[in-house]
Amino acid sequence: MASGFLDDSRYAELLICSHISKGHGPTRIRLVMAQKGLDKDIINLASFAYS
């Protein structure tokens, strides 16, 4: 991984935090993460961590 780039797990974490602060629910957050091209395993892991 090149210096300065986020890995998928970190990107998912940032997306979740951002959407939670906007009041979005888990379904919408998962949809946005899928639209951003994140792998289903990363989405499931990140969602589990914040549930």
Side-chain angles (χ1 to χ4, degrees):
M1 179 169 67
S3 178
F5 289 91
L6 300 172
D7 64 20
D8 285 347
S9 298
R10 180 71 177 135
Y11 183 58
E13 184 180 326
L14 292 172
L15 275 175
I16 289 173
C17 290
S18 172
H19 284 275
I20 287 174
S21 71
K22 294 175 186 175
H24 298 163
T27 302
R28 180 170 179 175
I29 295 170
R30 291 170 71 84
L31 177 64
V32 168
M33 291 194 304
Q35 289 173 339
K36 297 285 186 183
L38 291 170
D39 185 75
K40 287 183 181 184
D41 291 335
I42 297 292
I43 293 171
N44 290 335
L45 260 170
S47 298
F48 178 75
Y50 282 91
S51 60

